[in-house]
């Protein structure tokens, strides 16, 4: 009688401790494919009580299948003094749906959101650093946050990560009838998303979305993942009220409510910059002098207190202290230019090597970076990156190039596109010569001149110590074994925005003799080795975000006692994606190699991917071609 009773008690205890909604055993097989995690349910309620307050409540249930999915737990909640955390907890369940751990708000680590540059910040985050010891596990994350900043209304995207499927996800926006809710629905095509729109209540829901796999040359997630953006026509930002319907309205509000009065400078500073630019007749030359003045006396340090997350420090404080963040330094440069009679505009942008746009047809708080725009007299703008002490005047690297940005003018806002470096404006011109000994050793010299985005990449070498440069060149010339950099001279011409590398390199055993033959790679200096991965069923379009143009001329001396036996055939490729040519000719005791490679920026249908892969494969094959020498 004892044992059956004990077994009954254990079974009863098991089932009472189990939550069938959180067992990993019931996940549909179709949603496991390519998934490191699955969002079982993600329910968000945004309750907008007025133009000055809203609450966001969320319950998110996610099952993590393996170690690769650990980063998808996302057990954190950012907040600030303007945002009150009302509820926060995390519960962990094992594969059978048994609760194994519960964390309350007091168990979360509370720390400042420091970025390594911020001097002061009141932005904080509550997070839980939980490392699973078994898989699968299910995490139930519940939170509630109240904020006075209605300038930012939480957007909704069921996908948060690649390789994570969605079983259920929903959002509900509740708002007073005297407010207008602007919405923008993105990337809904091919997905069944249920929408309910009633007066004062807007909701979206989706079920059974398979995991999205990351694909090379796919557009960024803003162009792939479904998303709903939301904004109010009347809102508040740290107590500054606004009412906007167009970007023109928004710019005027931003100038009047945020920027106005921040550009005051001392009479001494105004006199100083007027003297500095007294001999400059060209406005661009004046602006260059001012820009370089700012570079020489300021550094980037962020101050993020209250509305300081959006409002620049006073220009006179930046002048006195010698530091500021992107907002402060852009605004300070604007004030200095204004002092010498040059108009410029504070500009909001998304910074990053991925080209995210200020969305032209959706008015609302956007962007994560500030730059300065100056009319160039030709109907366009010269953009200035005011946070950098090294970037040349008027140059935009891959952090802010070719994307929509918002100019803040005194009377309006205006969305414009930043500098696009076309293929022929982003060049690498190489000239080199080398010798191969009969034993196969290598010695050569090379000059590389880079412009445009290729300048941006190459100029990062300036100021690097020798060991870092050696490391870079061993990686750059990875096909040259035993590489040694004998000499390296780097020249950064900031006025023409050209970066020149002059190298002398050598390597023992570069070419291996075989009997009476020796094989030498036709292109030792600028090989394109990239061959894109194959995809059996490509899902996304192909996007080449930046193009370039390379032109190379190499000569090398025929080794003593050897003669050419086999030369590679000339290669000429012309494709939608670009062009490539390679010719190899012999003249007396020298071999001359001429090579060009143009890659075009563009967006192409997914059916083009295999053609692009073959295009790059042909180039890699041509660049790896060999010249065969035999003993004469």
């Amino acid at each position: 009688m004892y044992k059956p009773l004990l077994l009954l008690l254990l079974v009863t205890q098991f089932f009472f401790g189990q939550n069938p909604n959180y067992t990993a055993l019931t996940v549909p097989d179709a949603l496991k494919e390519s998934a490191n995690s699955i969002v079982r349910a993600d329910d968000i309620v945004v309750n907008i009580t007025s133009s000055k307050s809203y609450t966001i409540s969320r319950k998110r249930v996610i099952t993590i299948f393996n170690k690769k999915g650990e980063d998808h737990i996302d057990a954190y909640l950012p907040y600030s003094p303007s945002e009150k955390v009302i509820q926060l907890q995390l519960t962990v369940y094992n594969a059978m749906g048994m609760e194994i751990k519960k964390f309350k708000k007091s168990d979360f680590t509370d720390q400042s959101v420091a970025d390594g540059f911020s001097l002061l910040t009141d932005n904080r985050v509550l997070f839980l650093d939980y490392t699973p010891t078994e898989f699968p596990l299910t995490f139930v994350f519940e939170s509630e946050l109240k904020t006075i900043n209605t300038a930012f209304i939480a957007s909704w995207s069921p996908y948060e990560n690649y390789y994570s499927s969605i079983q259920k996800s929903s959002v509900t926006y509740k708002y007073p009838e005297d407010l207008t809710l602007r919405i923008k629905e993105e990337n809904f095509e091919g997905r069944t998303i249920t929408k309910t729109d009633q007066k004062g209540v807007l909701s979206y829901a989706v079920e059974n979305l398979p995991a999205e796999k990351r694909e090379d040359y796919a557009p960024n997630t803003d162009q792939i993942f479904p998303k709903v953006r939301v904004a109010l026509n009347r809102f508040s930002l740290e107590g500054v009220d606004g009412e906007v319907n167009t970007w023109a309205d928004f710019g005027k509000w931003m100038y009047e409510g945020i920027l106005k009065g921040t550009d005051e400078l001392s009479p001494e500073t105004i006199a100083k910059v007027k003297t500095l630019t007294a001999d400059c007749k060209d406005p661009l030359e004046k602006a260059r002098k001012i820009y370089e003045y700012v570079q020489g006396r300021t550094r980037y340090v962020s101050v993020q207190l209250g509305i300081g997350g959006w409002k620049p420090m006073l220009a006179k404080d930046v002048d006195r202290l010698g530091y500021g963040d992107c907002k402060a330094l852009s605004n300070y440069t604007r004030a200095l230019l204004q002092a010498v009679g040059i108009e410029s505009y504070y500009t909001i942008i998304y910074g990053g090597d991925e080209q995210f746009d200020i969305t032209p047809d959706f008015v609302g708080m956007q962007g994560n970076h500030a730059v300065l725009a100056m009319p160039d007299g030709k109907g366009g703008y010269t953009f200035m990156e005011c946070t950098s002490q090294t970037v040349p005047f008027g140059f935009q690297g891959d952090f802010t190039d070719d994307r929509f940005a918002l100019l803040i003018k005194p009377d309006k806002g205006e969305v414009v596109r930043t500098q696009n470096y076309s293929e022929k404006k982003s060049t690498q011109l190489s000239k080199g010569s080398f010798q191969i000994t009969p034993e196969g050793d290598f010695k050569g010299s090379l000059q590389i001149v880079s412009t445009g985005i290729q300048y941006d990449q190459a100029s990062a070498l300036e100021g690097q110590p020798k060991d870092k440069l050696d490391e870079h060149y061993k990686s750059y010339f990875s096909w040259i074994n035993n590489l040694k950099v004998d000499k390296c001279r780097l020249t950064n011409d900031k006025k023409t925005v050209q970066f020149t590398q002059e190298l002398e390199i050598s390597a023992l055993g570069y070419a291996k003799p075989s009997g009476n033959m020796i094989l030498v790679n036709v292109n030792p200096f600028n090989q394109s080795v990239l061959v894109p991965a194959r995809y059996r069923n490509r899902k996304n379009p192909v996007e080449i975000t930046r193009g370039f143009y390379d032109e190379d001329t190499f000569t090398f001396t025929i080794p003593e006692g050897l003669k050419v036996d086999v030369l590679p055939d000339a290669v000429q490729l012309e494709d939608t994606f670009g062009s490539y040519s390679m010719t190899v000719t012999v003249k007396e005791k020298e071999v001359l190699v001429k090579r060009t490679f143009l890659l075009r920026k563009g967006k192409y249908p997914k059916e083009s991917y295999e053609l692009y892969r073959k295009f790059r494969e042909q180039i890699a094959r041509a660049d790896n071609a060999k010249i065969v020498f035999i003993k004469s």
Side-chain angles (χ1 to χ4, degrees):
M1 296 294 291
Y2 172 76
K3 288 183 180 180
L5 180 59
L6 177 60
L7 180 61
L8 178 61
L9 289 172
L10 289 172
V11 170
T12 302
Q13 183 181 22
F14 171 80
F15 281 108
F16 271 101
Q18 184 188 38
N19 189 324
N21 293 322
Y22 302 147
T23 173
L25 304 181
T26 58
V27 174
D29 289 340
L31 295 180
K32 292 180 181 178
E33 186 176 345
S34 303
N36 297 322
S37 67
I38 177 172
V39 175
R40 312 291 296 280
D42 190 6
D43 299 313
I44 300 171
V45 177
V46 179
N47 188 14
I48 303 167
T49 54
S50 72
S51 65
K52 299 183 180 182
S53 176
Y54 82 90
T55 301
I56 178 168
S57 305
R58 185 177 193 182
K59 183 175 182 180
R60 177 174 176 267
V61 183
I62 184 168
T63 296
I64 309 298
F65 293 130
N66 51 49
K67 194 165 184 62
K68 290 180 180 178
E70 276 186 38
D71 291 342
H72 301 174
I73 297 172
D74 291 340
Y76 66 90
L77 184 65
Y79 74 102
S80 72
S82 303
E83 298 160 324
K84 181 180 179 181
V85 179
I86 298 171
Q87 180 193 11
L88 183 64
Q89 74 173 34
L90 179 75
T91 310
V92 187
Y93 296 85
N94 67 12
M96 301 301 295
M98 295 284 292
E99 181 183 317
I100 59 174
K101 194 77 175 176
K102 178 173 280 190
F103 299 94
K104 298 179 180 178
K105 178 184 172 183
S106 58
D107 299 316
F108 284 67
T109 300
D110 187 346
Q111 75 174 34
S112 171
V113 183
D115 56 10
F117 298 100
S118 295
L119 180 66
L120 294 169
T121 178
D122 54 12
N123 293 321
R124 303 190 67 80
V125 64
L126 287 159
F127 73 93
L128 194 65
D129 189 8
Y130 182 85
T131 303
T133 57
E134 61 179 290
F135 297 102
L137 287 177
T138 296
F139 296 82
V140 180
F141 185 71
E142 298 173 85
S143 65
E144 186 174 357
L145 184 78
K146 185 174 183 178
T147 178
I148 63 170
N149 287 324
T150 55
F152 298 94
I153 301 295
S155 59
W156 175 71
S157 179
Y159 282 115
E160 296 171 345
N161 301 284
Y162 282 108
Y163 305 105
S164 183
S165 56
I166 314 296
Q167 195 166 9
K168 291 181 181 180
S169 180
S170 69
V171 65
T172 299
Y173 295 96
K174 300 178 181 179
Y175 58 99
E177 293 187 8
D178 63 330
L179 294 179
T180 299
L181 205 63
R182 288 196 304 274
I183 62 171
K184 181 174 174 60
E185 301 166 355
E186 301 174 343
N187 310 317
F188 277 28
E189 300 82 5
R191 301 176 174 103
T192 303
I193 298 176
T194 303
K195 176 182 178 181
T196 304
D197 191 359
Q198 300 172 338
K199 192 63 177 176
V201 180
L202 172 68
S203 64
Y204 294 87
V206 69
E207 294 185 5
N208 301 322
L209 292 180
E212 290 277 358
K213 294 188 288 186
R214 190 185 298 274
E215 294 179 334
D216 294 340
Y217 297 96
N220 64 46
T221 55
D222 256 11
Q223 301 175 60
I224 296 174
F225 290 175
K227 187 174 186 176
V228 177
R229 300 176 191 258
V230 178
L232 293 173
N233 66 320
R234 289 192 288 114
F235 57 85
S236 180
L237 175 64
E238 295 289 335
V240 179
D241 295 339
E243 182 169 1
V244 304
N245 290 294
T246 66
W247 279 123
D249 296 341
F250 187 93
K252 187 174 182 180
W253 167 78
M254 186 86 180
Y255 187 87
E256 292 288 336
I258 306 295
L259 291 182
K260 194 172 182 178
T262 63
D263 53 0
E264 182 183 341
L265 293 169
S266 69
E268 293 79 11
T269 297
I270 293 173
K272 186 185 297 184
V273 293
K274 283 184 175 180
T275 301
L276 178 69
T277 60
D279 297 332
C280 302
K281 295 182 180 179
D282 180 6
L284 276 177
E285 195 56 39
K286 274 189 179 184
R288 185 191 303 276
K289 284 256 189 179
I290 295 289
Y291 179 79
E292 291 173 352
Y293 172 79
V294 173
Q295 284 186 313
R297 69 179 312 275
T298 63
R299 60 194 174 95
Y300 176 84
V301 175
S302 180
V303 177
Q304 305 281 339
L305 293 174
I307 202 169
W310 300 275
K311 186 181 181 76
M313 289 169 56
L314 298 178
K316 62 182 180 182
D317 288 343
V318 177
D319 190 56
R320 175 174 55 87
L321 298 169
Y323 63 71
D325 62 8
C326 62
K327 302 181 300 297
L329 295 174
S330 297
N331 188 58
Y332 174 55
T333 308
R334 179 177 73 93
L336 294 173
L337 289 172
Q338 187 174 275
V340 296
I342 295 177
E343 185 177 35
S344 62
Y345 307 117
Y346 183 88
T347 302
I348 300 168
I349 196 168
Y350 280 108
D353 57 3
E354 284 196 82
Q355 294 159 324
F356 288 96
D357 286 319
I358 296 291
T359 307
D361 60 352
F362 182 73
V363 180
M365 294 294 290
Q366 297 183 45
N368 62 3
H369 187 53
V371 295
L372 194 65
M374 170 188 164
D376 62 6
K378 302 174 185 177
Y381 296 92
T382 296
F383 291 91
M384 289 168 259
E385 176 53 74
C386 301
T387 61
S388 173
Q389 294 170 308
T390 60
V391 170
F393 170 76
F395 176 73
Q396 288 189 279
D398 62 11
F399 193 70
T400 56
D401 71 314
D402 197 16
R403 64 200 75 186
F404 284 119
L406 175 66
L407 272 58
I408 306 298
K409 298 183 176 182
D411 60 339
K412 65 177 181 178
E414 181 182 344
V415 177
V416 300
R417 197 159 196 92
T418 61
Q419 174 71 47
N420 170 25
Y421 294 96
S422 64
E423 294 82 14
K424 290 296 182 76
K425 288 183 180 179
S426 189
T427 64
Q428 178 178 286
L429 308 179
S430 304
K431 291 183 179 180
S433 62
F434 65 98
Q435 302 85 41
I436 301 290
T437 69
E439 295 75 33
D441 297 336
F442 171 98
K443 189 172 184 64
S445 60
L446 176 66
Q447 181 191 72
I448 306 171
V449 180
S450 304
T451 66
I453 295 301
Q454 299 211 67
Y455 165 91
D456 191 30
Q457 295 158 353
S459 62
L461 297 173
E462 188 177 29
Q464 293 292 322
K466 186 179 185 306
D467 60 331
K468 292 293 184 184
L469 288 174
D470 287 346
E471 185 180 317
H472 164 76
Y473 287 117
K474 284 179 180 178
S475 174
Y476 187 81
F477 300 113
S478 60
W479 48 86
I480 301 179
N481 295 323
N482 308 313
L483 177 76
K484 182 182 177 185
V485 180
D486 300 310
K487 287 185 181 179
C488 175
R489 183 184 174 201
L490 306 176
T491 305
N492 190 355
D493 187 335
K494 293 187 178 181
K495 195 150 190 175
T496 62
V497 194
Q498 287 189 344
F499 191 82
T500 302
Q501 304 169 66
E502 295 174 286
L503 305 170
E504 292 185 15
I505 58 179
S506 58
L508 297 175
Y510 171 70
K512 298 291 185 184
S514 176
N516 69 337
M517 294 190 307
I518 183 169
L519 276 68
V520 178
N521 193 299
V522 71
N523 177 10
F525 289 131
N526 190 19
Q527 288 189 29
S528 174
V529 298
L530 171 69
V531 177
R534 290 181 184 273
Y535 293 101
R536 182 175 297 176
N537 295 301
R538 175 81 181 188
K539 184 173 181 181
N540 292 302
V542 179
E543 182 172 20
I544 299 172
T545 55
R546 295 179 181 90
F548 61 81
Y549 176 72
D550 286 1
E551 187 175 294
D552 310 301
T553 303
F554 309 136
T555 61
F556 64 92
T557 306
I558 296 174
E560 199 66 41
L562 298 178
K563 66 178 182 180
V564 174
D565 185 44
V566 179
L567 280 180
D569 293 331
V571 177
Q572 182 72 48
L573 304 174
E574 188 68 44
D575 203 290
T576 305
F577 311 104
S579 60
Y580 173 92
S581 69
M582 168 90 79
T583 60
V584 186
T585 56
V586 178
K587 187 176 181 181
E588 297 178 351
K589 294 294 289 182
E590 279 192 338
V591 176
L592 174 63
V593 180
K594 290 188 174 182
R595 173 187 183 272
T596 65
F597 179 17
L598 182 142
L599 183 68
R600 292 191 181 96
K601 169 187 170 74
K603 293 182 180 179
Y604 308 92
K606 64 181 181 180
E607 292 78 14
S608 299
Y609 181 79
E610 185 58 24
L611 295 175
Y612 176 67
R613 196 191 69 80
K614 288 179 178 177
F615 175 64
R616 296 303 297 262
E617 186 178 44
Q618 287 175 296
I619 293 170
R621 190 181 304 119
D623 276 350
N624 195 38
K626 304 291 192 296
I627 299 176
V628 180
F629 295 100
I630 59 172
K631 291 180 180 179
S632 56

